[in-house]
Amino acid sequence: MEMINLEKLICMKYQLPTMGVRMIPDMCERIASGIVVVDRNYVVEDVNYEIVRKSGLSKEDIIGRSFIEFVNPDDAPLVRERIERAFGGSVERLIVRLTSPAVKDYWVYLRFTKYEEHMVISMIDVNAMVEANNKLKEKNQELETIYEFLTEVGKALDIEEIYTLIYRQFSKVLVNMDAFTISIVDYENNVIRVEYVIGEGRRYPAHEIPFNDVDTLTGWVALHRKLLYIRDLESEETPSQFRLVGEHMRSWLGVPLMYRGDLIGVLTVQSKLPNAFSQRDFDLLHLLSSNLAMHIANGILYTNLKRSEERYRTLVTTSLVGFVYTDENDRITFVNDAMAEMLGYRPKELLGKDPLEFTTPHGAEMIKKGRERRRRGISDTYEAELRRKDGSIIYVLIYSGPIKDEKGNFVGTMSAVADITPIKNLERKLRESKQLQELLLHILSHDIKTPLSVILGYTELLRDDCNEEYISEISHAVEQILTMIKNIRMISKLDMGKIEEGKEQYSITKVIQESIDIVSKSHPECEFKLVDDEVSLEGYSALMQEALTNIMSNACKYGAHRVVVSIEAKDGKALIKIADDGPGIPDEIKEKIFEPFVKYGTEGSGLGLSIVKRVVELHGGKIWVEDNKPHGSVFIISLPIKSE
């Protein structure tokens, strides 16, 4: 069978005029999609420049070889099956991994189209999409690990039991861990008590070390309050002397245990392997450290409370756990500072009140059932909702037990209350992470088809009539794909908290002016006016600029001719209003305009305003949209002003 190239195949099929034939090579090389032509035996007959660029090989290295050689071996049987179906007359599509001697595996979307005894394979690079999906899966697993970790540790009150549960949980998630310690800072005696020490499964006695950054690595972490990782103790210079648990340890990782700005202690893990711990391990330790510090601090207080009846009242009053005492009529007779702070009141404001005044209907139902059990002499633990003085809801874990007089008569209730709102928020984030996975799958299986179809359709038209308008349409469709991938990556970064820039003090006026300059270049038909107070904010200026640019660009894109941006500093907030004279947004759309994939009109992916909302919330702010009189919309952003 005669070898064929792209130009010859197009000429044979479409019988193009001479001028059109001369333009075909250049057109094939400019198409953003990769194109491969293979014969009936899968042998490559021709490729365009995009294939050469992506594979890192020359045309000569590719032509004449089997296309299957460039497919990941695990995917090769499926590709053969789809090519055979396509030769049978069906249009086949799939996502697979391609590979070459120059480039590792990368994910592509393939479309197979038969022409006589030849097969045209079109491909789009979806590697970024697949990587984003895999990162979401990793984030999902991480959240599940954290949730399980904190749930298990939260079951204990005694400090020794808490130490043991923390060790067991780390043994599950840090596979290279050979030794483990938890140390507590004793400020009164200026020492660090290494209270829990395990090496290679053996428990070592507790001991003390100096509270300085010279004698031990643990002391260095405590004094500097920073995570420290020594990849190889045998070859790497260390900031201090060190003592190891057991023998032949090579890697050492320590993290400070901070709670409410105070250093509680230091947690360390060690391994006999060099470079034993990964970035994932660092992130896990960082995320868990404050919660573990809280549990340890509570455990120490609880254990001391058990050991010393004389210090009971003081410890209850200063405990990080809330304590409430009620009488036989369910009126509060004592509440400690932690409980009052949890609800946003002063302790004396709560005395004489019924706890039902500080809960939700659902929480009240749980408390009433608990009261019935207390009167029957039953102690137990349950979850409930409480309402703070400012109206916000917190989730708590309550341990309640009956108080009896010397004759055994019920005279009141003692309750220990722990704020578990962070754990509930983790549950919510876990659910949102799974929803984001579904969103990515939705994009991959639906939204990417539209611009891809435009590319393929207009490419066919180009072969009949080389019209500049069609070329522009192809370029626009490719830009849509790139914008969609960019937006998805931005959503992933925001949800995973991986912000590349650091927080800084910046002028919001300057950021808004830069956004206006950007949008003016792409929409010269729009007139902009800035009315401002000079306001300095703290946050991520680049992310805020991208959010503001998105809103202004949308206004011009959907028909606005004039956009007025105003800034007002009021009551510790910066109020930014972006008002346009466009067609406005229907009320039914306003309610959900910031949700992913909700859009008004035919342009865009529906992700832009979802990203804007995430950026605003990252800065502790709020965003909403109102009508602009007599017509148009006003996007309003409220951001906290933090003093320098």
Side-chain angles (χ1 to χ4, degrees), residues 35 57 67-68 86 104 139 173 297 314 337 346 357 364 410 435 455 457 507 555:
I35 300 178
L57 303 175
F67 177 70
I68 304 301
K104 289 178 64 178
K139 183 65 176 178
V173 297
T314 302
D337 290 340
R346 295 191 301 274
E357 296 177 36
F410 174 81
Q435 290 171 356
I455 291 173
S507 167

Side-chain angles (χ1 to χ4, degrees), residues 157 259-260 294 297-299 301-302 305 312-326 332 334-344 347 350 382 386 394-401 413-420:
L157 288 175
Y259 182 64
R260 293 184 175 177
M294 179 189 71
N298 287 338
L301 288 170
Y302 175 82
L305 179 62
Y312 172 77
R313 175 67 66 170
T314 302
L315 286 173
V316 168
T317 303
T318 60
S319 172
L320 299 176
V321 173
F323 282 89
V324 181
Y325 284 70
T326 57
I332 296 174
F334 170 79
V335 59
N336 70 343
D337 290 340
M339 187 68 244
E341 181 180 343
M342 202 180 296
L343 292 172
L350 300 174
Y382 60 97
L386 298 181
I394 61 172
Y395 300 90
V396 295
L397 182 66
I398 302 175
Y399 168 80
S400 288
T413 299
M414 182 279 291
S415 298
V417 184
D419 186 351
I420 59 170

Side-chain angles (χ1 to χ4, degrees), residues 52 111 180 187 236 242:
V52 172
R111 183 179 186 274
F180 172 89
Y187 290 98
E236 189 174 341
F242 54 85

Side-chain angles (χ1 to χ4, degrees), residues 222-369:
L223 198 66
H224 293 270
R225 300 188 178 192
K226 292 181 180 178
L227 182 146
L228 177 63
Y229 179 37
I230 308 298
R231 292 173 172 79
D232 192 344
L233 290 161
E234 293 186 4
S235 61
E236 189 174 341
E237 184 177 349
T238 62
S240 69
Q241 301 179 50
F242 54 85
R243 305 176 188 179
L244 301 177
V245 179
E247 299 178 349
H248 311 300
M249 295 295 170
R250 296 285 296 276
S251 299
W252 190 97
L253 175 61
V255 61
L257 298 172
M258 306 289 298
Y259 182 64
R260 293 184 175 177
D262 293 327
L263 177 70
I264 303 297
V266 176
L267 184 150
T268 77
V269 292
Q270 302 168 36
S271 174
K272 291 186 175 182
L273 300 174
N275 297 304
F277 305 112
S278 65
Q279 183 62 47
R280 175 185 173 276
D281 299 330
F282 304 160
D283 294 341
L284 183 65
L285 278 169
H286 176 71
L287 286 169
L288 287 170
S289 60
S290 61
N291 281 285
L292 294 181
M294 179 189 71
H295 284 295
I296 290 171
N298 287 338
I300 291 172
L301 288 170
Y302 175 82
T303 303
N304 288 339
L305 179 62
K306 285 199 309 182
R307 293 171 182 170
S308 177
E309 289 291 332
E310 297 173 1
R311 297 169 58 201
Y312 172 77
R313 175 67 66 170
T314 302
L315 286 173
V316 168
T317 303
T318 60
S319 172
L320 299 176
V321 173
F323 282 89
V324 181
Y325 284 70
T326 57
D327 60 20
E328 64 270 30
N329 297 315
D330 300 314
R331 296 291 171 175
I332 296 174
T333 58
F334 170 79
V335 59
N336 70 343
D337 290 340
M339 187 68 244
E341 181 180 343
M342 202 180 296
L343 292 172
Y345 291 87
R346 295 191 301 274
K348 65 180 181 180
E349 292 179 286
L350 300 174
L351 296 179
K353 303 288 186 180
D354 188 328
L356 294 179
E357 296 177 36
F358 312 102
T359 186
T360 64
H362 178 264
E365 181 181 349
M366 299 301 296
I367 292 173
K368 287 177 182 178
K369 290 179 179 178

